[in-house]
Amino acid sequence: MPAPEFFYVPYERFLEEMETVARLIEADDWRPDFLVGIGRGGLVPAAYLSHRTGIALLSVDHSTGEAGFGDELLDRLAAKIRDGSRILIVDDINDSGGTIEYLRAAIDAKSGDPAGLRIAVLVNNIRSRSHSEYHGSELDRDADKRWYVFPWEAVAPPETLTREAAEVPERIA
């Protein structure tokens, strides 16, 4: 597999995409009660979005697979939706759609109310198998194979970025 081409997302672009997402949320009649940052990539965008919109922030670390920090918290989010709350999950990118697909299925199965859950991302792949209701920009993975490196990821060693990019080779090949 060839080495991935990294695209370091400029901080200014990150802010522009956050503002776009915030305005889309504010223009919608559906208003979340909670933002949920998904670890790791969605934590920073969710914190920024919380400050920008004034919506309360929760977090779930789905990235580690560590017991007590993933599925159990998804069950608690489902319970909040059952109790009438609206939840907006925030992530950095909807690429393959795997994370969003998993989160929707896990929460919807226990909440019984799919309308209580929505997704916001900074970058949305139009070829993804999942959709986000709000996004800052779009990419077409058929045309753009660059690996997006967001400002909070830019401190990672290049070998870490290369390993993470290689985890789903069809995204970059």
Side-chain angles (χ1 to χ4, degrees):
M1 181 172 84
E5 177 186 350
F6 295 125
F7 170 61
Y8 287 84
V9 176
Y11 181 69
E12 294 74 21
R13 177 172 170 176
F14 160 66
L15 291 177
E16 290 168 5
E17 291 177 351
M18 286 304 317
E19 184 62 24
T20 297
V21 170
R23 288 182 181 176
L24 290 169
I25 293 166
E26 291 169 343
D28 197 344
D29 290 337
W30 190 92
R31 176 89 173 158
D33 297 296
F34 297 98
L35 302 177
V36 178
I38 296 299
R40 292 185 312 183
L43 296 174
V44 172
Y48 271 72
L49 195 57
S50 176
H51 283 288
R52 167 60 179 75
T53 63
I55 301 169
L57 173 65
L58 303 171
S59 64
V60 172
D61 190 353
H62 177 263
S63 65
T64 65
E66 187 69 27
F69 293 91
D71 291 338
E72 294 83 354
L73 295 175
L74 297 180
D75 291 348
R76 293 173 72 183
L77 293 176
K80 286 199 163 299
I81 293 171
R82 277 194 314 274
D83 292 341
S85 293
R86 291 177 171 177
I87 303 291
L88 179 63
I89 290 178
V90 180
D91 208 353
D92 53 2
I93 189 167
N94 173 21
D95 208 339
S96 69
T99 299
I100 292 173
E101 185 175 69
Y102 176 81
L103 294 171
R104 276 194 200 276
I107 295 170
D108 289 351
K110 294 190 176 177
S111 76
D113 181 14
L117 177 67
R118 291 196 179 174
I119 309 291
V121 296
L122 297 176
V123 180
N124 186 59
N125 174 12
I126 64 170
R127 308 281 177 194
S128 175
R129 65 181 183 252
S130 297
H131 77 282
S132 63
E133 285 79 7
Y134 312 101
H135 57 269
S137 66
E138 291 183 324
L139 72 88
D140 180 347
R141 258 307 168 220
D142 285 354
D144 186 351
K145 298 295 186 178
R146 299 174 299 169
W147 184 257
Y148 280 53
V149 181
F150 293 94
W152 52 93
E153 298 170 316
V155 296
E159 56 274 8
T160 300
L161 295 172
T162 300
R163 186 184 75 249
E164 289 175 354
E167 289 175 359
V168 185
E170 63 271 14
R171 291 190 292 201
I172 58 171

Short mmCIF file of all heavy atoms in Angstrom, two decimals, residues 103-136:
data_model
loop_
_atom_site.label_atom_id
_atom_site.label_comp_id
_atom_site.label_asym_id
_atom_site.label_seq_id
_atom_site.Cartn_x
_atom_site.Cartn_y
_atom_site.Cartn_z
N LEU A 103 -22.97 3.79 16.07
CA LEU A 103 -23.57 4.60 17.12
C LEU A 103 -25.09 4.70 16.95
O LEU A 103 -25.83 4.54 17.92
CB LEU A 103 -22.95 6.00 17.14
CG LEU A 103 -21.48 6.05 17.53
CD1 LEU A 103 -20.93 7.45 17.29
CD2 LEU A 103 -21.27 5.60 18.96
N ARG A 104 -25.54 4.95 15.73
CA ARG A 104 -26.99 5.03 15.48
C ARG A 104 -27.68 3.72 15.86
O ARG A 104 -28.71 3.73 16.54
CB ARG A 104 -27.27 5.33 14.01
CG ARG A 104 -27.23 6.77 13.64
CD ARG A 104 -27.86 6.96 12.26
NE ARG A 104 -27.45 8.19 11.63
CZ ARG A 104 -28.02 9.36 11.85
NH1 ARG A 104 -29.01 9.48 12.69
NH2 ARG A 104 -27.57 10.44 11.22
N ALA A 105 -27.12 2.61 15.41
CA ALA A 105 -27.73 1.31 15.68
C ALA A 105 -27.78 1.03 17.18
O ALA A 105 -28.81 0.59 17.71
CB ALA A 105 -26.99 0.20 14.95
N ALA A 106 -26.67 1.29 17.87
CA ALA A 106 -26.60 1.00 19.31
C ALA A 106 -27.57 1.87 20.10
O ALA A 106 -28.24 1.38 21.03
CB ALA A 106 -25.17 1.21 19.81
N ILE A 107 -27.66 3.13 19.76
CA ILE A 107 -28.53 4.04 20.51
C ILE A 107 -29.99 3.86 20.11
O ILE A 107 -30.87 3.76 20.97
CB ILE A 107 -28.06 5.49 20.34
CG1 ILE A 107 -26.67 5.68 20.98
CG2 ILE A 107 -29.07 6.46 20.97
CD1 ILE A 107 -26.01 7.00 20.67
N ASP A 108 -30.26 3.80 18.81
CA ASP A 108 -31.65 3.65 18.35
C ASP A 108 -32.29 2.36 18.86
O ASP A 108 -33.48 2.35 19.19
CB ASP A 108 -31.73 3.68 16.82
CG ASP A 108 -31.48 5.07 16.24
OD1 ASP A 108 -31.41 6.06 17.02
OD2 ASP A 108 -31.34 5.17 15.01
N ALA A 109 -31.51 1.28 18.93
CA ALA A 109 -32.06 0.00 19.38
C ALA A 109 -32.58 0.08 20.80
O ALA A 109 -33.53 -0.62 21.16
CB ALA A 109 -30.99 -1.09 19.29
N LYS A 110 -31.99 0.94 21.62
CA LYS A 110 -32.40 1.01 23.02
C LYS A 110 -33.23 2.24 23.34
O LYS A 110 -33.86 2.29 24.39
CB LYS A 110 -31.18 0.95 23.91
CG LYS A 110 -30.50 -0.41 23.79
CD LYS A 110 -29.44 -0.62 24.80
CE LYS A 110 -28.89 -2.03 24.66
NZ LYS A 110 -27.81 -2.29 25.57
N SER A 111 -33.22 3.24 22.45
CA SER A 111 -34.00 4.45 22.74
C SER A 111 -35.43 4.33 22.25
O SER A 111 -36.34 4.91 22.83
CB SER A 111 -33.35 5.68 22.10
OG SER A 111 -33.59 5.72 20.71
N GLY A 112 -35.61 3.59 21.14
CA GLY A 112 -36.93 3.48 20.55
C GLY A 112 -37.39 4.74 19.84
O GLY A 112 -38.54 4.84 19.42
N ASP A 113 -36.50 5.73 19.71
CA ASP A 113 -36.87 7.01 19.10
C ASP A 113 -35.74 7.54 18.23
O ASP A 113 -34.97 8.39 18.67
CB ASP A 113 -37.21 8.02 20.20
CG ASP A 113 -37.64 9.37 19.63
OD1 ASP A 113 -37.93 9.46 18.42
OD2 ASP A 113 -37.69 10.33 20.42
N PRO A 114 -35.62 7.06 17.00
CA PRO A 114 -34.55 7.54 16.12
C PRO A 114 -34.57 9.05 15.89
O PRO A 114 -33.54 9.65 15.61
CB PRO A 114 -34.80 6.79 14.80
CG PRO A 114 -35.62 5.61 15.17
CD PRO A 114 -36.43 6.03 16.37
N ALA A 115 -35.72 9.68 16.03
CA ALA A 115 -35.82 11.13 15.83
C ALA A 115 -35.12 11.91 16.93
O ALA A 115 -34.85 13.11 16.77
CB ALA A 115 -37.28 11.55 15.75
N GLY A 116 -34.79 11.26 18.04
CA GLY A 116 -34.10 11.93 19.14
C GLY A 116 -32.61 12.01 18.98
O GLY A 116 -31.92 12.56 19.84
N LEU A 117 -32.08 11.46 17.89
CA LEU A 117 -30.63 11.39 17.68
C LEU A 117 -30.28 11.97 16.31
O LEU A 117 -30.89 11.59 15.30
CB LEU A 117 -30.16 9.94 17.75
CG LEU A 117 -28.68 9.68 17.48
CD1 LEU A 117 -27.81 10.30 18.57
CD2 LEU A 117 -28.42 8.19 17.35
N ARG A 118 -29.30 12.85 16.29
CA ARG A 118 -28.76 13.37 15.04
C ARG A 118 -27.24 13.40 15.13
O ARG A 118 -26.67 13.28 16.20
CB ARG A 118 -29.31 14.75 14.73
CG ARG A 118 -30.80 14.70 14.38
CD ARG A 118 -31.25 15.94 13.71
NE ARG A 118 -32.67 15.85 13.38
CZ ARG A 118 -33.36 16.84 12.88
NH1 ARG A 118 -32.78 18.00 12.64
NH2 ARG A 118 -34.64 16.69 12.60
N ILE A 119 -26.62 13.60 13.95
CA ILE A 119 -25.17 13.57 13.84
C ILE A 119 -24.68 14.86 13.19
O ILE A 119 -25.25 15.32 12.20
CB ILE A 119 -24.69 12.38 12.97
CG1 ILE A 119 -25.30 11.06 13.43
CG2 ILE A 119 -23.17 12.33 12.91
CD1 ILE A 119 -24.84 10.54 14.76
N ALA A 120 -23.59 15.42 13.72
CA ALA A 120 -22.90 16.56 13.12
C ALA A 120 -21.43 16.20 12.95
O ALA A 120 -20.82 15.62 13.86
CB ALA A 120 -23.03 17.80 13.99
N VAL A 121 -20.87 16.53 11.80
CA VAL A 121 -19.45 16.31 11.54
C VAL A 121 -18.87 17.55 10.86
O VAL A 121 -19.60 18.32 10.24
CB VAL A 121 -19.21 15.06 10.65
CG1 VAL A 121 -19.66 13.79 11.37
CG2 VAL A 121 -19.89 15.19 9.30
N LEU A 122 -17.58 17.68 10.97
CA LEU A 122 -16.92 18.77 10.25
C LEU A 122 -16.89 18.48 8.76
O LEU A 122 -17.19 19.34 7.94
CB LEU A 122 -15.49 18.96 10.75
CG LEU A 122 -15.33 19.36 12.21
CD1 LEU A 122 -13.86 19.41 12.58
CD2 LEU A 122 -16.01 20.69 12.48
N VAL A 123 -16.50 17.24 8.41
CA VAL A 123 -16.34 16.85 7.01
C VAL A 123 -17.17 15.60 6.75
O VAL A 123 -17.06 14.62 7.47
CB VAL A 123 -14.85 16.58 6.67
CG1 VAL A 123 -14.71 16.17 5.21
CG2 VAL A 123 -13.99 17.79 6.98
N ASN A 124 -17.97 15.65 5.70
CA ASN A 124 -18.85 14.54 5.35
C ASN A 124 -18.45 13.97 3.99
O ASN A 124 -18.42 14.69 2.99
CB ASN A 124 -20.30 15.02 5.29
CG ASN A 124 -21.26 13.90 5.06
OD1 ASN A 124 -21.33 12.97 5.86
ND2 ASN A 124 -22.01 13.96 3.98
N ASN A 125 -18.15 12.68 3.97
CA ASN A 125 -17.85 11.98 2.72
C ASN A 125 -19.18 11.65 2.03
O ASN A 125 -19.98 10.90 2.59
CB ASN A 125 -17.06 10.71 3.02
CG ASN A 125 -16.83 9.84 1.79
OD1 ASN A 125 -17.06 10.25 0.66
ND2 ASN A 125 -16.37 8.63 2.04
N ILE A 126 -19.38 12.18 0.84
CA ILE A 126 -20.65 11.93 0.14
C ILE A 126 -20.81 10.47 -0.25
O ILE A 126 -21.91 10.05 -0.58
CB ILE A 126 -20.81 12.85 -1.09
CG1 ILE A 126 -19.75 12.55 -2.15
CG2 ILE A 126 -20.80 14.31 -0.68
CD1 ILE A 126 -20.00 13.24 -3.48
N ARG A 127 -19.75 9.68 -0.21
CA ARG A 127 -19.79 8.24 -0.53
C ARG A 127 -19.97 7.37 0.71
O ARG A 127 -19.99 6.15 0.61
CB ARG A 127 -18.52 7.81 -1.26
CG ARG A 127 -18.16 8.64 -2.45
CD ARG A 127 -18.98 8.28 -3.63
NE ARG A 127 -18.64 9.18 -4.74
CZ ARG A 127 -19.34 9.30 -5.81
NH1 ARG A 127 -20.41 8.59 -5.98
NH2 ARG A 127 -18.99 10.14 -6.76
N SER A 128 -20.08 7.98 1.87
CA SER A 128 -20.21 7.23 3.12
C SER A 128 -21.48 6.39 3.11
O SER A 128 -22.49 6.76 2.53
CB SER A 128 -20.25 8.21 4.30
OG SER A 128 -20.50 7.51 5.49
N ARG A 129 -21.43 5.28 3.84
CA ARG A 129 -22.62 4.43 3.95
C ARG A 129 -23.59 4.98 5.01
O ARG A 129 -24.69 4.46 5.17
CB ARG A 129 -22.23 3.00 4.25
CG ARG A 129 -21.57 2.77 5.58
CD ARG A 129 -21.20 1.29 5.75
NE ARG A 129 -20.64 1.00 7.02
CZ ARG A 129 -19.36 0.71 7.23
NH1 ARG A 129 -18.52 0.68 6.21
NH2 ARG A 129 -18.92 0.45 8.44
N SER A 130 -23.18 6.01 5.73
CA SER A 130 -24.04 6.65 6.74
C SER A 130 -24.17 8.13 6.41
O SER A 130 -23.39 8.67 5.65
CB SER A 130 -23.43 6.50 8.13
OG SER A 130 -23.36 5.15 8.50
N HIS A 131 -25.15 8.76 7.01
CA HIS A 131 -25.34 10.19 6.75
C HIS A 131 -25.26 10.99 8.05
O HIS A 131 -25.50 10.47 9.14
CB HIS A 131 -26.67 10.45 6.05
CG HIS A 131 -27.85 10.39 6.97
ND1 HIS A 131 -28.41 9.21 7.41
CD2 HIS A 131 -28.59 11.37 7.54
CE1 HIS A 131 -29.42 9.46 8.20
NE2 HIS A 131 -29.55 10.76 8.31
N SER A 132 -24.90 12.25 7.88
CA SER A 132 -24.94 13.19 9.00
C SER A 132 -25.94 14.27 8.65
O SER A 132 -26.07 14.66 7.48
CB SER A 132 -23.55 13.80 9.24
OG SER A 132 -23.13 14.54 8.11
N GLU A 133 -26.66 14.72 9.65
CA GLU A 133 -27.65 15.77 9.41
C GLU A 133 -27.00 17.13 9.22
O GLU A 133 -27.56 18.00 8.54
CB GLU A 133 -28.67 15.83 10.56
CG GLU A 133 -29.68 14.71 10.56
CD GLU A 133 -29.16 13.39 11.13
OE1 GLU A 133 -28.02 13.35 11.65
OE2 GLU A 133 -29.90 12.39 11.05
N TYR A 134 -25.85 17.34 9.84
CA TYR A 134 -25.16 18.63 9.77
C TYR A 134 -23.69 18.38 9.44
O TYR A 134 -23.08 17.47 10.01
CB TYR A 134 -25.24 19.37 11.11
CG TYR A 134 -26.62 19.43 11.71
CD1 TYR A 134 -26.98 18.55 12.74
CD2 TYR A 134 -27.57 20.34 11.26
CE1 TYR A 134 -28.24 18.60 13.31
CE2 TYR A 134 -28.84 20.39 11.82
CZ TYR A 134 -29.17 19.52 12.85
OH TYR A 134 -30.42 19.56 13.40
N HIS A 135 -23.13 19.19 8.56
CA HIS A 135 -21.70 19.09 8.27
C HIS A 135 -21.16 20.43 7.81
O HIS A 135 -21.90 21.26 7.28
CB HIS A 135 -21.39 17.99 7.24
CG HIS A 135 -22.11 18.18 5.95
ND1 HIS A 135 -23.35 17.63 5.71
CD2 HIS A 135 -21.79 18.86 4.83
CE1 HIS A 135 -23.76 17.95 4.50
NE2 HIS A 135 -22.83 18.71 3.93
N GLY A 136 -19.86 20.62 8.03
CA GLY A 136 -19.22 21.87 7.63
C GLY A 136 -18.80 21.88 6.19
O GLY A 136 -18.83 22.93 5.53
#
